[in-house]
Amino acid sequence: MDLPFSCKSSRVFGLHSKVSSLVCKCLVLVVVALFIRTAWLPSFFGFVGIEQKSIEIIQSRSLSTDSDSGIRRDKFLEVPQIVWGLNNQKIAFARACLTARVLNRTLLMPSLSASLFYKEIDQLQPISFDKVFQFERFNSLCSGFVQLGRYSDVSNRTGVFEVQKGSGRRWTVERDMEQLKQSTEEPTDGYEVVRIVGKNPFLWHDHWPVKDYARVFDCLVLVEEIANEADKVVSKIREVGRGIRTNAGPLHNAVESDGSSTQQVPYVAVHMRIEIDWMIHCKKLEQRSNISQICSSKEEIMERVGNLVGLKTPTVLYLAVADSLLKDSSILSGWNEGLLPVEKTKLGVDGIYKKYPYLIQSAIDYEVCLRADVFVGNSFSTFSSLIALERTQKMIKMGVKNACGTNTSWPSYAYNILGDSNGPQKWMTNMLDSSLKAISYGSNAISC
């Protein structure tokens, strides 16, 4: 490092006085201090500032839906194939979207799984997201919050950076969040595509509140073909309901003579979880959690649905059941007088379902239950829980804040929890929950 001219000249002319020597030493120290400040401190404080800013950005994006500043469309996130049941896949998809939001990246449209294999991953039948849900509609409804992109949008100019998701007990929520934070910084952020490898997104740690998931779910609209199939099933259910009300006489018949109000005939959808594998799972869950209100027998479901407060009869019950139960005629008998149970085979719509793979069949059944005038399910079932969540969203949009009234729209009930008059418990999702776990595998039916 060059010294100031005054110090150099003092040496050249042999001026070694104590004063000048002291002055030079002081000047040297000043220069060294300035050099260190210039070379090191900005980067150090800059790093601290960036780190703090990154944390603030992640917290604001992961904990709030208020910020709609927009998502980068030239940076992408790629995730593994999404697997398992329909609602596990919806949760996994939403979690991938919210992860992309944290990274301020567009999520590359993931592959879903048309088939259902829990262990034989290599046998999973992939199906493109846009074969089930409307791609453009999703981006329109979720504009500014999350964004989907196609692989054709990638230019391949800067390559792909792979991020390995951790696993096991040592991979904590805090470590997972730290990994996300690091992925917003250089050099990772400089890559056009960040590819997360490892486990299915459903198994990733959850950093987001229920309302963030709900916002993503709101943007999922079935493609027209699947929605039309659901329309056919709902129309058939209402047609059966119209028939039993007509036979019950004018007191119960609210249908006009020209049939114009057929679509207004109400029906109740009951998601019956009584198949053998579910009963084994829920019994183990009861033992682990020391909770007795998880499993429900067929008889208990029938009794509690029959005691629904305010239920007008005669009415039709659509039973959403696993295919393994369709040959069990006992599920259609034993219901209270005035309740007519039907399932896809009795309705004569099983041919609609058989045209499609498992995922599409589930999507149709989900839509049929979602549209029901009354829904009754199990609060520990992911299928039931997401339906209750979406119906709660519909209630909130209509200005309903308390589901305890008997005349509220979009009511949901949990038959595994005893409610008023020995009926099922009224059920409304708590949108203030800080984690989706509370509604995925837990009892969140409200008490009135």
Side-chain angles (χ1 to χ4, degrees):
M1 178 179 65
D2 290 338
L3 297 176
F5 175 76
S6 60
C7 289
K8 283 187 178 180
S9 60
S10 67
R11 289 194 182 95
V12 171
F13 293 102
L15 301 177
H16 298 290
S17 68
K18 186 178 290 186
V19 176
S20 61
S21 176
L22 182 60
V23 171
C24 284
K25 288 180 180 179
C26 291
L27 288 173
V28 170
L29 290 174
V30 170
V31 171
V32 171
L34 289 172
F35 176 81
I36 291 175
R37 180 181 178 183
T38 303
W40 296 98
L41 293 186
S43 59
F44 173 76
F45 285 114
F47 172 79
V48 174
I50 290 171
E51 182 179 36
Q52 184 63 34
K53 186 176 181 182
S54 297
I55 293 173
E56 290 173 356
I57 288 173
I58 285 181
Q59 288 178 338
S60 65
R61 289 183 177 172
S62 62
L63 301 179
S64 173
T65 59
D66 298 333
S67 174
D68 287 337
S69 56
I71 302 296
R72 290 182 298 180
R73 302 194 179 194
D74 59 345
K75 299 285 186 179
F76 304 93
L77 177 69
E78 182 181 356
V79 300
Q81 180 179 349
I82 292 174
V83 300
W84 297 342
L86 168 69
N87 293 287
N88 297 108
Q89 294 191 49
K90 290 174 71 173
I91 291 172
F93 171 77
R95 194 161 290 160
C97 284
L98 295 171
T99 300
R101 174 175 167 81
V102 165
L103 303 180
N104 192 13
R105 288 175 174 269
T106 293
L107 177 66
L108 287 173
M109 185 171 62
S111 289
L112 305 179
S113 300
S115 54
L116 180 62
F117 288 92
Y118 286 100
K119 295 182 179 179
E120 299 85 354
I121 301 297
D122 58 320
Q123 297 185 38
L124 287 170
Q125 179 186 349
I127 183 172
S128 177
F129 172 90
D130 58 1
K131 297 296 183 183
V132 184
F133 301 105
Q134 296 182 33
F135 178 89
E136 299 296 342
R137 183 67 172 155
F138 179 88
N139 278 342
S140 174
L141 292 173
C142 268
S143 177
F145 185 65
V146 294
Q147 181 79 23
L148 272 183
R150 300 182 185 275
Y151 280 85
S152 57
D153 298 332
V154 180
S155 66
N156 291 320
R157 284 187 301 232
T158 57
V160 177
F161 185 90
E162 288 195 349
V163 174
Q164 176 71 48
K165 269 288 181 182
S167 60
R169 293 182 179 180
R170 293 186 178 182
W171 189 257
T172 62
V173 174
E174 292 75 19
R175 289 185 66 182
D176 193 71
M177 178 56 79
E178 177 64 22
Q179 184 185 61
L180 289 179
K181 182 183 75 67
Q182 292 173 356
S183 297
T184 66
E185 302 168 352
E186 296 293 345
T188 308
D189 194 56
Y191 285 82
E192 184 179 18
V193 178
V194 169
R195 176 188 296 146
I196 296 182
V197 295
K199 54 191 179 183
N200 164 30
F202 182 77
L203 299 175
W204 294 357
H205 281 299
D206 185 6
H207 304 288
W208 299 276
V210 170
K211 65 176 183 177
D212 281 18
Y213 283 96
R215 187 162 179 182
V216 176
F217 295 148
D218 266 353
C219 303
L220 292 173
V221 179
L222 291 173
V223 295
E224 188 173 346
E225 178 185 358
I226 301 175
N228 288 341
E229 300 289 29
D231 287 342
K232 296 175 186 177
V233 177
V234 171
S235 294
K236 189 67 176 178
I237 295 171
R238 295 196 189 278
E239 182 182 326
V240 172
R242 178 191 178 194
I244 62 172
R245 292 205 167 198
T246 299
N247 295 334
L251 182 63
H252 299 285
N253 185 18
V255 182
E256 300 297 334
S257 58
D258 63 357
S260 60
S261 63
T262 300
Q263 295 299 318
Q264 302 305 313
V265 177
Y267 70 95
V268 178
V270 182
H271 180 220
M272 294 186 71
R273 294 305 311 266
I274 56 174
E275 59 273 23
I276 295 176
D277 61 338
W278 165 258
M279 296 304 288
I280 294 174
H281 166 72
C282 74
K283 287 296 183 184
K284 290 181 178 178
L285 190 58
E286 283 186 338
Q287 292 173 359
R288 287 198 308 267
S289 58
N290 197 28
I291 297 175
S292 60
Q293 295 181 316
I294 299 178
C295 304
S296 290
S297 65
K298 176 179 62 179
E299 292 73 23
E300 183 177 81
I301 296 173
M302 290 177 175
E303 178 184 358
R304 291 185 178 175
V305 171
N307 291 330
L308 262 172
V309 176
L311 182 63
K312 297 180 180 179
T313 58
T315 192
V316 61
L317 304 179
Y318 176 71
L319 307 182
V321 296
D323 287 347
S324 60
L325 295 174
L326 292 178
K327 296 180 181 180
D328 183 2
S329 59
S330 68
I331 65 172
L332 298 176
S333 59
W335 296 87
N336 286 5
E337 184 178 356
L339 301 179
L340 178 63
V342 296
E343 32 75 26
K344 61 189 75 170
T345 300
K346 185 172 181 178
L347 276 178
V349 297
D350 51 328
I352 292 176
Y353 289 84
K354 290 178 180 178
K355 294 189 298 183
Y356 299 101
Y358 165 80
L359 184 69
I360 308 301
Q361 293 181 27
S362 296
I364 295 172
D365 242 14
Y366 184 94
E367 191 70 12
V368 172
C369 290
L370 182 63
R371 298 185 195 179
D373 298 86
V374 178
F375 172 71
V376 190
N378 187 301
S379 65
F380 278 81
S381 161
T382 306
F383 185 96
S384 292
S385 294
L386 290 197
I387 290 175
L389 184 153
E390 290 203 50
R391 292 172 69 90
T392 298
Q393 280 284 85
K394 293 178 182 292
M395 293 172 65
I396 292 173
K397 290 178 180 179
M398 295 177 65
V400 177
K401 296 182 179 180
N402 189 338
C404 294
T406 57
N407 295 319
T408 57
S409 300
W410 303 104
S412 300
Y413 296 83
Y415 55 66
N416 57 303
I417 302 176
L418 185 63
D420 294 339
S421 303
N422 291 320
Q425 173 65 56
K426 203 70 174 284
W427 188 0
M428 187 174 181
T429 302
N430 181 7
M431 290 296 177
L432 298 179
D433 274 329
S434 61
S435 168
L436 195 67
K437 184 178 181 180
I439 75 158
S440 296
Y441 295 104
S443 169
N444 66 324
I446 64 170
S447 298
C448 294

